[in-house]
Amino acid sequence: MIKNINSLVRKNILELTPYSSARSLNLYGILLDANENPYCNMDVTERGININRYPDPSHTKMRKQLSKYLSINSENIVFGSGSDELIDLIIRIFCEPGKDNIIIPKPTYGMYEVSAKINNVEVKYFDLTEEFQIAEYNFNNEIDENSKILFLCSPNNPTGDLLNKDSVTNIIKSFNGIVVIDEAYIDFCNIENSFFNEINSCNNIIILRTFSKAWGMAGLRLGYAIASKEIIDFILNVKLPYNIGAVVTDLFFKVMNKEDVKRKNINSIISERDRLYKELIEIKEIKKVYHSDANYILFQPDNHIELFSYLIENGVVIRDRSSQIKNSLRVSVGTLEENNMFLTKLRKFYEIKD
Ligand SMILES: *Cc1c(COP(=O)(O)O)cnc(C)c1O
């Protein structure tokens, strides 16, 4: 469904003349245009980085490399300093502070709400069903004419499961705003569940991906958006010119050659996730263990507050999600040894209690 994207964009962004950086022209020769230091005080040249120069604001080479990897056009990709930066940019492009709103399911990832509030953009919520799926009438009841962006996360954080594809497709078709689908965890499940192929037919979708999870690069701060060219161009215009540094770019190219390592580690995480699930459902004090398509498991144990503290005191840090889903804790899948340590301490807690 082709929508009029410009009608959704804030007026000040539509009228913006973007910052014209010295490095966007891609000119060659002696570079005396950007007030850079001609000397490199720290020698990283053996890694091919001219650290004294500003990096390319349009990420041309990175976008080309990723476009080959994903088999889409470069013009449908933009990089952010983590997908968290992209969440903020998307809100700033489409939502007029004090007037427009975003709508998010409950429960979901916390950054959509925080980013909106930082930007003085109202947040509307709609409840997921008990199985953490979309009920379309809940969504339709909450939206109004100022609802600009719907954020969906699939697999959802912290619940772990994929959203039903038909419900998401229906909403994409019916909703007159932007639908962001955060696919931070898509590599831990069947890639068929991605909305990637829909970007050509639906120009109101933005897919977010990150190098922080399956790629194992959370410290790098690198994420990307996939969308129609018109949306990508707005993000390019609004982002800080040099949001992706030269060292990040360098490591991006290195990790892109490590697809085999990535695959192997994903497979270990998936098999450990499935083992962890089986072990957890055997523990009688755990009342519910949720199915996960991601690299974490949500569960509802007896005495969750005490258990949570006991684990921390014993050197195992997991996440308390009981503010979102009652009595719930979330554990990320670690290495075999880490998961065993978690299970041992957890069983120990209930032995002592008995
Ligand atoms: C971890 C996570 C991200 C990743 O954010 P980065 O800024 O790329 O590290 C994005 N979305 C969700 C739902 C996450 O859980």
Side-chain angles (χ1 to χ4, degrees):
M1 169 105 57
I2 298 302
K3 310 210 165 151
N4 183 352
I5 297 298
N6 280 13
S7 71
L8 297 171
V9 174
R10 286 168 70 195
K11 191 161 169 282
N12 60 316
I13 303 295
L14 277 177
E15 291 170 352
L16 179 75
T17 308
Y19 178 71
S20 161
S21 120
R23 287 289 153 271
S24 27
L25 300 169
N26 262 322
L27 300 174
Y28 296 93
I30 54 167
L31 300 175
L32 302 177
D33 57 346
N35 299 349
E36 295 155 338
N37 194 314
Y39 305 107
C40 203
N41 291 343
M42 213 184 101
D43 191 14
V44 275
T45 46
E46 83 277 4
R47 303 184 58 175
I49 311 172
N50 289 323
I51 203 77
N52 56 321
R53 299 292 175 192
Y54 280 110
D56 171 19
S58 41
H59 319 147
T60 310
K61 288 184 182 151
M62 291 175 77
R63 289 163 78 201
K64 197 161 187 186
Q65 174 85 6
L66 190 63
S67 78
K68 274 191 264 167
Y69 178 79
L70 297 171
S71 305
I72 50 166
N73 290 325
S74 292
E75 60 188 24
N76 297 118
I77 301 170
V78 62
F79 285 94
S81 171
S83 33
D84 285 348
E85 182 191 18
L86 295 163
I87 293 167
D88 175 69
L89 286 167
I90 293 164
I91 292 172
R92 284 199 277 141
I93 289 167
F94 295 104
C95 294
E96 194 61 41
K99 174 172 174 253
D100 293 331
N101 63 70
I102 68 161
I103 177 154
I104 59 173
K106 231 178 160 161
T108 194
Y109 182 50
M111 275 309 287
Y112 317 129
E113 175 178 350
V114 172
S115 271
K117 288 185 173 168
I118 289 170
N119 286 297
N120 190 25
V121 166
E122 188 197 344
V123 183
K124 286 180 175 288
Y125 308 87
F126 68 102
D127 286 328
L128 295 178
T129 64
E130 263 180 38
E131 295 79 44
F132 299 131
Q133 289 301 326
I134 294 175
E136 284 166 50
Y137 59 86
N138 281 355
F139 170 75
N140 290 322
N141 274 345
E142 294 302 328
I143 52 173
D144 62 24
E145 73 274 14
N146 294 322
S147 300
K148 287 290 191 67
I149 310 171
L150 163 65
F151 281 93
L152 296 174
C153 181
S154 184
N156 193 18
N157 183 1
T159 54
D161 52 353
L162 283 155
L163 295 176
N164 176 291
K165 211 167 178 184
D166 290 339
S167 323
V168 178
T169 306
N170 288 344
I171 285 190
I172 291 169
K173 288 192 185 134
S174 70
F175 182 49
N176 280 322
I178 300 292
V179 181
V180 177
I181 304 170
D182 188 338
E183 297 187 342
Y185 300 99
I186 199 74
D187 285 304
F188 298 107
C189 62
N190 189 337
I191 197 75
E192 300 276 295
N193 295 299
S194 172
F195 278 83
F196 182 80
N197 288 323
E198 267 62 48
I199 61 150
N200 293 320
S201 49
C202 307
N203 67 340
N204 62 327
I205 309 183
I206 305 176
I207 293 169
L208 296 182
R209 302 257 182 98
T210 177
F211 281 79
S212 297
K213 309 288 159 57
W215 284 97
M217 307 281 278
L220 190 66
R221 306 312 302 136
L222 189 64
Y224 58 95
I226 308 168
S228 58
K229 180 181 185 307
E230 47 189 331
I231 291 181
I232 295 295
D233 286 346
F234 281 115
I235 300 177
L236 284 167
N237 286 351
V238 173
K239 74 176 184 62
L240 293 176
Y242 309 116
N243 65 330
I244 307 297
V247 176
V248 174
T249 304
D250 178 55
L251 290 176
F252 160 80
F253 282 104
K254 297 215 160 81
V255 80
M256 288 301 281
N257 286 325
K258 302 247 178 244
E259 176 72 11
D260 49 334
V261 182
K262 177 195 176 205
R263 246 312 109 208
K264 185 174 133 285
N265 289 335
I266 289 175
N267 290 340
S268 317
I269 292 167
I270 292 174
S271 79
E272 274 298 291
R273 173 190 74 200
D274 296 345
R275 178 178 74 94
L276 207 49
Y277 179 84
K278 288 193 191 112
E279 302 262 9
L280 289 172
I281 55 174
E282 293 300 323
I283 299 171
K284 70 172 192 311
E285 290 88 352
I286 297 182
K287 291 298 176 286
K288 187 160 173 82
V289 184
Y290 288 91
H291 167 262
S292 173
D293 296 299
N295 66 337
Y296 49 85
I297 296 178
L298 185 77
F299 60 103
Q300 287 168 314
D302 285 346
N303 303 99
H304 72 282
I305 297 171
E306 273 177 80
L307 170 64
F308 179 70
S309 312
Y310 176 87
L311 289 174
I312 287 184
E313 282 157 25
N314 286 274
V316 179
V317 184
I318 66 170
R319 194 103 154 101
D320 181 356
R321 294 284 76 187
S322 58
S323 61
Q324 287 186 296
I325 302 128
K326 76 172 171 15
N327 305 343
S328 70
L329 301 178
R330 189 193 69 194
V331 61
S332 304
V333 179
T335 62
L336 181 136
E337 294 76 18
E338 289 170 338
N339 302 330
N340 284 344
M341 167 112 160
F342 161 70
L343 287 167
T344 306
K345 301 286 181 196
L346 186 134
R347 290 195 183 101
K348 187 91 186 282
F349 171 78
Y350 288 115
E351 272 167 33
I352 300 167
K353 280 215 80 74
D354 276 350

